[in-house]
Amino acid sequence: MRFAAAWCLLGIAAVAQAQAQAEQDKPIQLSPKLLDSIAKKYGDSAVVRLNDWTALMESGGLPSIEEAAKLAQANEFFNRVQWLSDLVHWGQEDYWATPVETLASNGGDCEDFSIGKYFTLLQTKVDNEKLRITYVKSLTYNQAHMVLAYYPQPDAEPLILDNINKTILPASQRDDLLPIYSFNGESIWLAKARGKKLNADSQKSLPQWKGVNERLLQELNGEAER
């Protein structure tokens, strides 16, 4: 059960409520200028995917929608996207795409899917403190992997949203994954340090995560995507 214990320890630390509320209160709206740019580059089907995404977030934010349904919708939506390696897709060894880039290009890898699910759930009013983008080792494939972990309570066993095993399962049923560290909009946690929350800003400590947030902000301001 060492895997389940490590996952649970990752969720113990509390996250600042002000940061979480600020992130949730910023609705994702894509400007006609951005959508026109995307249509010219990727075609009308890309705009359809993005409009479907914004519609999903709008409907998922309704008070009548339970969090379990929100998790299932976000997980299924981004798991539809074609898996492509960063080198093939972006010409880089390791590129973290925004949800807009992922959906517009209809391609991405594990970190892109996890990032997309994270921002989608924030927009459907799931608390930031419940969400951790989690860097793991896939023991099945003996390689680095990324998933989104959802903690119903800070010290609870999380549910895992993944693109390899598309069924949302408790961490104790995912002993094929070894957690290394996790992060969200504010903080970073280390699994090997008993889930210790580092005294570090996730965006300052993880340049790729900072880049995702900066580019997403540019996209929401109507600037063209990558």
Side-chain angles (χ1 to χ4, degrees):
M1 296 297 292
R2 66 186 187 279
F3 301 105
W7 284 106
C8 289
L9 287 168
L10 280 171
I12 291 175
V15 180
Q17 291 295 320
Q19 172 72 16
Q21 190 62 49
E23 291 186 66
Q24 292 181 39
D25 287 343
K26 297 176 182 176
I28 290 181
Q29 297 180 339
L30 305 180
S31 70
K33 177 182 177 182
L34 176 63
L35 293 175
D36 182 63
S37 173
I38 288 171
K40 290 177 180 176
K41 184 171 184 179
Y42 294 108
D44 292 339
S45 59
V47 175
V48 171
R49 287 190 294 273
L50 289 166
N51 285 335
D52 287 346
W53 179 50
T54 55
L56 172 67
M57 290 185 290
E58 183 177 349
S59 63
L62 296 175
S64 60
I65 306 300
E66 296 184 355
E67 287 198 345
K70 297 177 183 182
L71 297 179
Q73 290 170 353
N75 193 55
E76 191 274 335
F77 188 83
F78 277 89
N79 284 345
R80 297 179 198 166
V81 177
Q82 180 184 12
W83 187 92
L84 292 171
S85 71
D86 287 333
L87 193 59
V88 170
H89 195 41
W90 300 113
Q92 299 182 26
E93 289 289 345
D94 191 21
Y95 182 78
W96 292 15
T98 70
V100 175
E101 292 171 324
T102 299
L103 294 171
S105 64
N106 198 27
D109 61 6
C110 59
E111 65 262 23
D112 304 325
F113 303 148
S114 299
I115 289 167
K117 296 169 190 178
Y118 170 80
F119 281 112
T120 300
L121 290 171
L122 282 185
Q123 289 298 307
T124 58
K125 305 190 185 308
V126 176
D127 288 342
N128 184 59
E129 65 179 357
K130 295 182 176 182
L131 302 172
R132 305 280 189 276
I133 299 174
T134 306
Y135 182 82
V136 302
K137 179 179 180 180
S138 168
L139 302 179
T140 302
Y141 296 98
N142 192 32
Q143 65 182 30
H145 184 49
M146 197 170 280
V147 299
L148 181 65
Y150 166 82
Y151 293 82
Q153 301 295 331
D155 59 349
E157 177 185 12
L159 297 174
I160 306 304
L161 285 67
D162 187 14
N163 66 288
I164 292 179
N165 185 337
K166 295 178 171 59
T167 301
I168 298 175
L169 294 171
S172 59
Q173 297 182 34
R174 294 301 309 273
D175 58 5
D176 58 314
L177 302 178
L178 176 64
I180 309 298
Y181 71 88
S182 63
F183 62 96
N184 61 17
E186 181 189 77
S187 302
I188 304 173
W189 291 260
L190 290 179
K192 288 187 177 180
R194 297 186 59 80
K196 180 180 179 181
K197 178 181 176 181
L198 300 184
N199 185 23
D201 184 315
S202 62
Q203 293 195 40
K204 291 181 180 179
S205 302
L206 300 170
Q208 291 161 309
W209 179 230
K210 179 181 179 182
V212 167
N213 283 270
E214 289 177 343
R215 293 196 311 279
L216 182 57
L217 181 61
Q218 291 173 352
E219 291 163 349
L220 300 184
N221 287 334
E223 299 177 26
E225 42 63 64
R226 185 179 184 273

